[in-house]
């Protein structure tokens, strides 16, 4: 879902809600349009036209010209994403500088060249400055949002104007072919949770260095493989508990636990309740709805 609004001439803001795993993006090559993406919740990644991939987590910011993503694949490693996308049409801003910024010496084309030289995306990790611009936009009353949008977009332009890309920490980008391989590995290890694989086994099967495998998996899915898979197994167990009448022992085996005791312990560590208690709550909620 995407709700868009022209905040000021040449500035369009969209509140984004995606629920998917991945999809492709196709649009014209807009080299004079700067796209700024803020991740509020979830995780999102782009496989850009230049063969690079970058992933954003909560609070991160990504900036690129719209020719970089004209034919790109967007990935949602956690299945969902909520954020804000801002489009700055630099040609329009050249001729319609916001009144409050006329003394700031803002030059759209110079800003574009500074932030994305050679159409190279710029990705910044979460910071108090970034949060100060965007986080409140998910909290203020609906009737105040248009005013907040205008104020905060002016603040964003000032932030970008004073930003020195060579002096800031950046999120690491990776070769798209490697992130595609990591997603293939993810699909393999989650296809049958009754099976478990070591890092070494995956490294040999997919011909990838163990260090690279661990590093890029964490970059894509936010957590190390072991921690991610532990949470994934419990999430699948929660679905089975709520949607089936399978026994605890059967569910434990389906999600990769050799016995019910270890499954119960892992479930309680993650959810702070026993699997039997979780199933009872799900059934009570279902009865209340009926």
């Amino acid at each position: 879902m995407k709700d868009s609004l022209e905040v000021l001439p040449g500035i369009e803001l969209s509140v984004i809600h995606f629920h998917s795993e991945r999809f492709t993006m196709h649009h014209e090559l807009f080299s004079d349009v700067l796209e700024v993406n803020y991740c509020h919740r979830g995780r999102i990644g782009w496989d850009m036209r230049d063969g690079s991939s970058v992933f954003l987590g909560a609070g991160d910011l990504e900036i690129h010209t719209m020719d970089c993503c004209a034919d790109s694949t967007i990935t949602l490693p956690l299945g969902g994403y909520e954020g804000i996308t801002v489009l700055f049409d630099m040609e329009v801003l050249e001729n319609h500088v916001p009144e409050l910024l006329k003394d700031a010496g803002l030059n759209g084309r110079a800003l574009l060249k500074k932030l994305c030289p050679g159409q190279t995306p710029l990705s910044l990790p979460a910071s108090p400055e970034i949060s100060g611009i965007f986080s409140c936009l998910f909290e203020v009353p609906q009737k105040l949002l248009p005013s907040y949008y205008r104020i905060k977009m002016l603040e964003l332009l000032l932030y970008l104007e004073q930003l020195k890309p060579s002096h800031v920490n950046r999120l690491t980008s990776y070769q798209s072919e490697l992130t595609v391989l990591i997603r293939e590995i993810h699909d393999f290890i989650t296809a049958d949770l009754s099976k478990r694989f070591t890092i070494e086994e995956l490294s040999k099967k997919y011909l990838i260095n163990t260090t690279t495998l661990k590093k890029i998996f964490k970059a894509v899915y936010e957590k190390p493989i072991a921690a991610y898979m532990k949470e994934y197994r419990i999430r699948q167990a929660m679905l089975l508990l709520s949607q089936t009448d399978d026994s605890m022992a059967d569910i434990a085996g389906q999600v990769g636990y050799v016995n019910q005791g270890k499954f119960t312990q892992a479930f309680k560590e993650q959810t702070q309740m026993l699997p039997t208690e979780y199933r009872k709550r799900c059934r009570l909620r279902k009865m209340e709805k009926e």
Side-chain angles (χ1 to χ4, degrees):
M1 186 174 69
K2 177 180 177 180
D3 298 320
S4 300
L5 174 70
E6 184 178 36
V7 178
L8 291 165
I11 305 176
E12 179 183 297
L13 182 148
S14 301
V15 179
I16 308 291
H17 300 270
F18 288 145
H19 297 282
S20 181
E21 290 187 358
R22 64 182 67 104
F23 55 92
T24 56
M25 181 73 70
H26 300 287
H27 56 70
E28 293 182 40
L29 298 171
F30 297 117
S31 59
D32 287 335
V33 177
L34 190 71
E35 179 174 323
V36 179
N37 295 285
Y38 170 76
C39 176
H40 179 61
R41 187 179 290 115
R43 197 160 184 82
I44 189 169
W46 285 266
D47 293 339
M48 298 292 190
R49 292 179 69 245
D50 67 353
S52 66
S53 294
V54 64
F55 289 82
L56 304 184
D60 296 340
L61 193 72
E62 192 274 341
I63 305 164
H64 64 262
T65 53
M66 285 194 70
D67 53 351
C68 293
C69 61
D71 293 290
S72 59
T73 300
I74 293 178
T75 304
L76 308 176
L78 305 182
Y81 167 79
E82 181 181 5
I84 286 177
T85 295
V86 184
L87 302 181
F88 292 108
D89 188 324
M90 293 310 190
E91 185 174 348
V92 173
L93 285 175
E94 282 287 308
N95 300 312
H96 299 87
V97 178
E99 187 67 31
L100 290 175
L101 300 186
K102 286 185 176 179
D103 293 336
L106 185 71
N107 183 294
R109 296 188 188 280
L111 183 61
L112 198 69
K113 185 177 180 180
K114 178 186 78 168
L115 296 174
C116 301
Q119 286 74 50
T120 301
L122 173 63
S123 305
L124 307 174
S127 70
E129 293 81 9
I130 295 171
S131 177
I133 296 171
F134 289 98
S135 61
C136 69
L137 298 180
F138 296 88
E139 301 168 359
V140 299
Q142 187 73 26
K143 67 178 183 179
L144 298 180
L145 275 175
S147 297
Y148 264 88
Y149 285 159
R150 286 190 287 271
I151 292 169
K152 288 298 181 177
M153 291 310 96
L154 296 178
E155 187 178 346
L156 175 58
L157 276 172
L158 288 174
Y159 169 77
L160 297 176
E161 176 66 20
Q162 60 81 39
L163 188 67
K164 295 180 173 58
S166 60
H167 296 168
V168 297
N169 292 326
R170 297 174 179 237
L171 296 173
T172 303
S173 61
Y174 298 93
Q175 292 179 326
S176 295
E177 61 185 29
L178 287 176
T179 61
V180 169
L181 180 61
I182 291 299
R183 295 199 295 267
E184 183 179 340
I185 292 172
H186 170 274
D187 292 346
F188 173 71
I189 61 180
T190 58
D192 184 354
L193 295 180
S194 66
K195 299 178 181 179
R196 291 176 179 262
F197 303 93
T198 66
I199 296 291
E200 289 71 23
E201 288 172 334
L202 295 173
S203 176
K204 290 180 181 179
K205 178 178 176 62
Y206 288 94
L207 303 177
I208 181 173
N209 178 275
T210 55
T211 301
T212 302
L213 169 57
K214 291 188 286 187
K215 182 178 180 180
I216 301 183
F217 190 98
K218 185 176 180 180
V220 173
Y221 292 98
E222 196 173 30
K223 296 179 183 294
I225 295 180
Y228 177 88
M229 287 304 298
K230 184 176 181 179
E231 291 188 6
Y232 190 93
R233 292 176 192 280
I234 299 304
R235 288 199 304 272
Q236 295 306 115
M238 293 170 77
L239 289 175
L240 292 170
L241 288 166
S242 64
Q243 298 176 3
T244 75
D245 293 321
D246 295 350
S247 70
M248 294 297 161
D250 284 343
I251 291 175
Q254 288 178 60
V255 297
Y257 287 91
V258 294
N259 60 61
Q260 187 175 331
K262 289 188 175 181
F263 166 64
T264 298
Q265 181 182 358
F267 192 95
K268 187 174 182 181
E269 285 178 358
Q270 186 163 317
T271 66
Q272 286 73 57
M273 67 178 78
L274 296 172
T276 51
E277 181 184 356
Y278 178 78
R279 172 170 270 176
K280 287 179 182 178
R281 291 189 181 186
C282 290
R283 288 177 175 174
L284 282 174
R285 284 196 294 267
K286 186 177 180 180
M287 292 172 60
E288 289 171 355
K289 289 180 180 180
E290 293 174 350

